[in-house]
Amino acid sequence: MQEQITSILEHMAKSQHEMARTLEAKREVVVHMAKMVSEIPDHNPTFGEIEALMEHSLSITKGISSYLNSLAELEDAIADTLSPIVKAMKEQPGDE
């Protein structure tokens, strides 16, 4: 039983590592977009039409929200997969 749990944990660790790598790539995009936003002047920006500026701002906000959502989903996935294993390990009598 212990070997099965170890094997499951190893597979979960690999898959969650890949999810973390994907999130890291998303984070880089979000950070880059946030840096671009910080370069926008606070007063009287001259970017042409306000509609285009609003559209790009909305796009950046959606990117940040998507990244934060992905982090929450990763946290939920880790919790969901580890809960049964921790429960099974608690139920097993034996050495720690």
Side-chain angles (χ1 to χ4, degrees), residues 23-96:
L23 287 174
E24 179 66 21
K26 278 188 175 183
R27 185 187 71 82
E28 292 296 325
V29 171
V30 169
V31 167
H32 181 68
M33 288 190 307
K35 285 180 182 176
M36 289 175 20
V37 167
S38 69
E39 297 297 319
I40 298 173
D42 292 335
H43 302 288
N44 301 323
T46 55
F47 295 111
E49 296 181 21
I50 192 72
E51 289 82 18
L53 181 60
M54 295 290 286
E55 185 179 325
H56 293 297
S57 297
L58 181 60
S59 174
I60 291 169
T61 302
K62 285 181 180 179
I64 292 170
S65 297
S66 172
Y67 171 69
L68 293 175
N69 235 3
S70 298
L71 283 177
E73 288 173 6
L74 175 62
E75 182 180 358
D76 287 344
I78 291 170
D80 289 344
T81 54
L82 287 180
S83 294
I85 292 173
V86 170
K87 183 179 177 182
M89 290 178 75
K90 283 183 179 180
E91 292 173 355
Q92 283 185 6
D95 298 337
E96 297 193 16

